[in-house]
Amino acid sequence: MIWDNNFAVSIFPILLQGLWVTVQITLLGTLLAAVLGLVFAVLRRLAIPVLSQVVSFLVVFVRGTPLLVQAYVAFFVLPAYGVSFNALTTGIVVIGVNYSAYMAEVYRSGIQGVPKGQWEAATALSLPGVRTWGRIILPQAIRTVVPMLGNYLIQMFKDSAVLSAITVVELMATAQAIGSSSFRYIEPLTLAALLFLAVSYPASRLVNRLERRYAPQH
Amino acid sequence: MDAVIQYAPLLWQGLLTTILVTVMGGALCLVVAFTAGLARLSRHRILRWPAGIFIEVFRGTSLLVQMFWLFFALPFFGIQLHPLTAAVLALGLNEGAYAAEVVRGAIASRAKGQTEACIALGMDPALRLRRIIIPQSIPAMLPPFGNVMVDLLKNTSLVSLVTVADLTFSAQMIRSTTGQTTAIFITILVMYFALSYLLTLLTSWLERRFALDRKALTLQRKENALMKVGAA
Amino acid sequence: MRPSTEPQAVVTGAPVTTEPIIRFQNVSKNWGTNQVLKNLNFEVAPGEKVSIIGPSGSGKTTILRILMTLETPSEGKVIVGGDTLWDVALGQKVRETKQLRETRRKIGMVFQQFNLFPHMTALENIIEAPIHVLGMNKAEARERAAELLNLVGLGKHMNHTPPQMSGGQQQRVAIARALAMRPKVLLFDEPTSALDPELIGEVLSVIRNLAHTTDMTMLMVTHEMRFAEEISDRVVMFDNGAAVESGPPAQIFKDPQQERTRNFLRAVLQH
Ligand SMILES: Nc1ncnc2c1ncn2[C@@H]1O[C@H](COP(=O)(O)OP(=O)(O)OP(=O)(O)O)[C@@H](O)[C@H]1O
Ligand SMILES: [Mg+2]
């Protein structure tokens, strides 16, 4: 018998715990990415000498390098300089920073999509900069960005498996641990795959629907 | 920095492996993308459904899970893949599933009029795809294909987790023997970044090369040159 | 080789009384509950130049699209050159039968939106189907394409791609492309209505030339009434999925018998 049903049932609760950790990583990571990404996008747009260029380069650099290596850097390099958290926190920060680089790009196109007339109207009303950004530009920019954020959330959900390499005990690490201790890999890995699918497939359907709803009207 | 210099040959080997995995994974990815993407558009359910299931499963689960499954679970079915094979297979199938959606999207968004013009000229479906629809869709596919390839390159780092001695694997080895963590990781980050950048350059070169009106522009330039010669 | 439809002098005028080349028998077409063609009976004689006029949504395009096999009729039978193209009674569901392919080759179509292949030059657009569908050799196809481009006044543009050409030029290439397949029947669906006014003339003059110099059967949906009057042997007025009135242009335009034709002509000729 290749597939052992009893074994599969017995490990299912442990895998669900792993899934829960994965979900937490995803939610917190997305939150971090959404906020950081917005900050990066605005900083780039403000064209502050040096700072804006540095941010631009960082965004491109993060997008051009592997998440796994970034995770290793956070896990092995940073503690040498006195920065250290537990594995889970490190994982969330790494994946959040990684995705913020992508989100910054999404915000950028959202901000660019706001018609020039909106800026001009704000100037004509002598609105201060903070008010212009906060009440006029960003609300319009973010509206078009919502479905993309959804896509990245789902992507992050699947990518977070990489964090198992720095000892974060999420779904993938749980499955692997079960495999190596029981020498049965089929059940935990298949179940892990199915759990990923069970969450991400309906979620992406939902985002597709949102996408159609929020699609720009022009 | 001495660790980096001392272990340069090892890093070089790792770099070559990373490039090898990227090239092989990329080739498989393209094959998978066109096969699954076109099958997804077929009139026949026998082709459409399996392609749809393949695409959703491989996009819906983690690449790492897929790679581990091929590496650890497949042997229980009596199939023992070489780590490199398992790694390339997982990368190609996973990124191929994403790229299949690119193919499907680019072809489906072709103007309906093009297909109708083909029918009016008596072209059968295979000829239509081969001569008209696919060539026209290439320019639209290139930018997202470029993104998929950069993704694939970055994801090759995961092959180190199934014991393939790529750049990341070499770095880990050097780190554990020398303890010079910072230098070694900065080095490979820069190397990955350089590779990503090269891929981006390649993509934009291809984009220019395949731009729809480029051919006509060159032809016209030749024509103009001839006319100048004639006038002189 | 299929029979030639090379340009040759042919007296146009009274329809020839032979077996019709196109015959619609009790053809209906439904989109859901919307019946677009209602039990249509309609015939075209070989070599006849027929213009179809009528208000928007009356089903004019649908007739051409059924002939070009871009649309399936819901009811009835369509015969082209003696061969059955559609026969719903026979339960013809399969779109790509051999018979359908063979019959379809007798027909060519010029679209409202041109539908040129944007990644190919004018010349490549024209030689594509002759080479890959008819199996013509490349040299012969190119030679003939060059002739056709000259015929439509674009001999100098063979290496231009569609984006580099004006709408009028694109439509003339599209006509040459259709002619390259030597169709017996050429369909035109409002060939000038996507064009800027100043470009309409050049396309109409190409079509006029074809009408006067070939024995090809031409079926044209158009809103250019003066043009229809000038080149047609017969004008058919459509309304509501049925042919309301049919006759020589002089009669339809000068002395329409039906109220609906009169109303339609009054409305379109006002401006
Ligand atoms: N694909 C389709 N789905 C649903 N209804 C359609 C479709 N194509 C055409 N119709 C309907 O069929 C009717 C006739 O369309 P058709 O295009 O034949 O009209 P037409 O006489 O060519 O009009 P026009 O002068 O505007 O081109 C219209 O009411 C149209 O809404
Ligand atoms: Mg129409």
Side-chain angles (χ1 to χ4, degrees), chain A residues 33-39 41-42 100 102-113 138 141-142 145 149:
Chain A
V35 173
L36 265 184
L38 184 57
V39 172
V42 173
S100 71
Y102 293 87
M103 297 227 181
E105 206 50 36
V106 175
Y107 285 121
R108 191 184 62 88
S109 64
I111 293 170
Q112 251 176 11
L138 290 183
I142 287 172
V145 155
L149 294 186

Side-chain angles (χ1 to χ4, degrees), chain B residues 10-205:
Chain B
L10 192 59
L11 279 178
W12 177 245
Q13 275 306 316
L15 178 67
L16 289 184
T17 305
T18 291
I19 292 173
L20 178 74
V21 172
T22 307
V23 171
M24 293 200 304
L28 179 60
C29 166
L30 286 181
V31 173
V32 169
F34 277 95
T35 313
L38 292 177
R40 193 86 185 87
L41 288 167
S42 166
R43 278 182 294 153
H44 307 291
R45 246 178 268 168
I46 309 181
L47 294 175
R48 215 167 52 224
W49 284 14
I53 292 171
F54 162 77
I55 291 172
E56 294 304 343
V57 166
F58 275 81
R59 285 180 354 140
T61 58
S62 292
L63 168 60
L64 193 59
V65 178
Q66 292 154 22
M67 208 179 276
F68 275 36
W69 205 94
L70 290 178
F71 190 71
F72 289 111
L74 212 50
F76 287 88
F77 295 93
I79 305 168
Q80 181 82 56
L81 297 178
H82 186 276
L84 188 68
T85 314
V88 167
L89 208 56
L91 277 168
L93 291 174
N94 180 274
E95 300 291 350
Y98 285 95
E101 283 296 284
V102 172
V103 171
R104 190 194 60 75
I107 288 180
S109 68
R110 282 288 88 211
K112 196 162 138 257
Q114 292 292 311
T115 302
E116 295 187 344
C118 291
I119 296 175
L121 291 169
M123 301 167 77
D124 64 54
L127 185 63
R128 275 187 330 240
L129 266 183
R130 187 165 60 81
R131 298 281 310 170
I132 308 296
I133 307 296
I134 291 181
Q136 274 181 26
S137 310
I138 299 283
M141 288 178 194
L142 277 174
F145 267 177
N147 290 340
V148 169
M149 288 303 160
V150 170
D151 258 347
L152 187 139
L153 163 71
K154 290 185 290 176
N155 281 334
T156 58
S157 62
L158 299 187
V159 307
S160 65
L161 301 175
V162 292
T163 73
V164 176
D166 75 328
L167 201 50
T168 308
F169 190 89
S170 312
Q172 279 284 49
M173 261 176 58
I174 301 168
R175 180 191 68 82
S176 56
T177 38
T178 66
Q180 294 203 7
T181 310
T182 311
I184 204 75
F185 276 126
I186 298 293
T187 307
I188 69 161
L189 275 178
V190 170
M191 287 165 93
Y192 274 114
F193 183 68
L195 289 178
S196 302
Y197 187 66
L198 282 178
L199 266 180
T200 326
L201 288 184
L202 179 67
T203 310
S204 41
W205 179 74

Side-chain angles (χ1 to χ4, degrees), chain A residues 184-207:
Chain A
R184 292 201 61 92
Y185 279 98
I186 295 182
E187 294 85 356
L189 287 176
T190 307
L191 284 176
L194 289 176
L195 284 174
F196 273 114
L197 191 61
V199 176
S200 71
Y201 182 66
S204 66
R205 274 303 167 89
L206 191 74
V207 170

Side-chain angles (χ1 to χ4, degrees), chain B residues 112 116, chain C residues 31 60-72 85-86 95 109 111 187 189:
Chain B
K112 196 162 138 257
E116 295 187 344
Chain C
W31 292 107
K60 308 181 298 288
T61 296
T62 307
I63 295 176
L64 299 194
R65 290 174 62 83
I66 286 176
L67 272 172
M68 197 64 259
T69 70
L70 299 172
E71 226 65 89
T72 324
L85 184 70
W86 295 113
R95 294 198 57 168
M109 181 159 178
F111 297 86
L187 311 174
D189 187 9

